[in-house]
Every structure is written in C-alpha cells, then in structure tokens.
Amino acid sequence: ILNVEQSPQSLHVQEGDSTNFTCSFPSSNFYALHWYRWETAKSPEALFVMTLNGDEKKKGRISATLNTKEGYSYLYIKGSQPEDSATYLCAFFYNQGGKLIFGQGTELSVKP
Amino acid sequence: NAGVTQTPKFRILKIGQSMTLQCAQDMNHNYMYWYRQDPGMGLKLIYYSVGAGITDKGEVPNGYNVSRSTTEDFPLRLELAAPSQTSVYFCASSYPEMNSPLHFGNGTRLTVT
C-alpha cells in the first residue's frame, strides 16, 4: 500500500487568514517530497522540492517544512489571498527508480 | 520549447473501443509519467518510464498499456474502454533526479459511455 496522506481534505478561510496543511508519508527510505499547486482547469505547477530532513523552503507568502524522521511536511500560507485558492498536492518518491505518488490534495478556498 | 504536449484535448469513446493518448516532450527529460485525476483522490499514477525502453506500473495500471520507444514520446493505450476509465489524464516529465520537479501537459479529458 502506497500511503501519502494529506489533511485536511478541504479548507475554507477568509482573506488575510494564515493557514497550513499537512502531508504524511512513510518515514523509512525517504528520497524526496514535492509540493504542487493546482488551479481549477489548469495543470499542476511545482512549488517546492524537498530532499533533506529539516528543509525549509519559501516562495513569497508560501513556505514548507520537512520532517523525514517522523514522515510529515507542512505547507504554510501567510495572509491568504483569493488568488491562493487552489488544490495543493504533495508527492513522494517511493524509490530511486522514479515512482512518484501523489496525495489526495487539500482544496483551499479563500473568500474575499 | 513547447514543453509537454498532450493530444487529443477531449475524446468521447464508446464502451469497448480502444484509443491511444499521445504525450510528447521536447525538454530531453528522461522521466515520464501518466496520471489520472479521480475526484477527491488527487492524481493516481498509471504508468511511468525512466528512459527509452523502460516502463513500469504505477498504482492503477489495469486496462492500460504504455510504450517508450523514444525519449520524447510516451503514449498511453486504452484497450476495451470502460466507464471507469472516464477521467482527465495528465502526462508529466522531469529530469532524472528526484529533486527535479514535474512538468505537466494540459491534460486529456476522456469520457467513456
């Protein structure tokens, strides 16, 4: 069973709120974790690729942390804006042979 | 660069028909993937390839076949289409490093009736 779990499944926040979501993955044999942003009617676009325990990445108001020993990554959005509304996906490399498995995503809706 | 190109954009199939979804990339990427979008389930991996002549099964390979005769192309074949294969299919590619992000095509929306 290939388990990449994301929570919550959906989130509704007001403009200006800060929010965070979780991606859980197997803590053994870690290779890399990816975060993608997926807007409706578009294709997913990469946000971050994380490979080292303790990694922290930041792009504007969005940041991510990684804990490979306990098997989770957090994605944070500071001061959410309506344009942040999208589904946020994490993906985990299960082996060195290229197998990249996605979680079910967190759907974020930001109301003005 | 065109990036990752998927054709067709839309297709309606009758149950039992077959078709090939085309995917081509011009970035000299070794890794290529086929995913399907299932509602509330994110993206499910169908097949992937780490280079020409090498393919492997993902999470949901049943009912599909792939080939990778060139670095650029990674077609996905549906044999005997079933309503359960109604979905949006995404092709993606990347360089052969796990810290290299995926580049996605625009998707193919397939309906099987």
Side-chain angles (χ1 to χ4, degrees):
Chain A
I1 296 175
L2 307 178
N3 283 332
V4 182
E5 301 288 339
Q6 291 188 246
S7 62
Q9 192 167 350
S10 65
L11 201 51
H12 299 267
V13 302
Q14 291 293 131
E15 182 175 355
D17 288 349
S18 292
T19 187
N20 66 85
F21 355 111
T22 305
C23 173
S24 300
F25 50 85
S27 56
S28 58
N29 299 323
F30 178 83
Y31 297 101
L33 187 88
H34 294 205
W35 279 102
Y36 292 83
R37 182 170 180 272
W38 191 8
E39 291 181 73
T40 302
K42 294 188 177 180
S43 302
E45 292 184 344
L47 282 172
F48 306 114
V49 177
M50 310 179 82
T51 56
L52 298 174
N53 185 43
D55 247 357
E56 291 188 23
K57 301 272 186 178
K58 188 174 181 182
K59 184 183 288 188
R61 294 179 291 98
I62 305 177
S63 60
T65 61
L66 178 67
N67 184 324
T68 62
K69 297 191 186 308
E70 296 183 37
Y72 64 83
S73 176
Y74 292 141
L75 189 79
Y76 300 92
I77 302 179
K78 185 178 177 181
S80 302
Q81 299 297 308
E83 58 265 30
D84 295 327
S85 298
T87 296
Y88 291 83
L89 296 165
C90 68
F92 177 75
F93 263 107
Y94 264 87
N95 55 36
Q96 292 177 295
K99 191 170 203 171
L100 186 63
I101 302 295
F102 280 83
Q104 71 271 48
T106 293
E107 186 178 358
L108 174 67
S109 174
V110 182
K111 290 187 178 179
Chain B
N1 287 350
V4 179
T5 302
Q6 289 184 240
T7 56
K9 289 190 174 137
F10 306 95
R11 184 74 186 266
I12 299 174
L13 280 183
K14 293 191 185 303
I15 294 171
Q17 287 185 320
S18 299
M19 77 163 293
T20 299
L21 281 66
Q22 301 291 344
C23 176
Q25 52 88 13
D26 62 358
M27 296 173 282
N28 203 30
H29 285 169
N30 287 70
Y31 286 6
M32 294 188 76
Y33 301 83
W34 276 106
Y35 292 94
R36 54 176 286 170
Q37 175 188 359
D38 291 334
M41 301 292 288
L43 295 171
K44 290 294 188 184
L45 179 63
I46 305 171
Y47 272 95
Y48 65 104
S49 168
V50 297
I54 306 169
T55 62
D56 211 341
K57 295 179 181 179
E59 301 170 277
V60 290
N62 291 344
Y64 306 94
N65 277 301
V66 293
S67 59
R68 184 96 182 267
S69 56
T70 67
T71 299
E72 294 76 20
D73 300 296
F74 191 38
L76 177 72
R77 178 88 178 155
L78 278 73
E79 304 282 1
L80 299 175
S84 60
Q85 293 177 304
T86 294
S87 189
V88 181
Y89 292 82
F90 285 96
C91 178
S93 70
S94 76
Y95 289 113
E97 291 91 26
M98 286 178 280
N99 61 356
S100 177
L102 295 189
H103 296 256
F104 283 84
N106 289 329
T108 294
R109 183 175 294 275
L110 176 68
T111 302
V112 183
T113 60

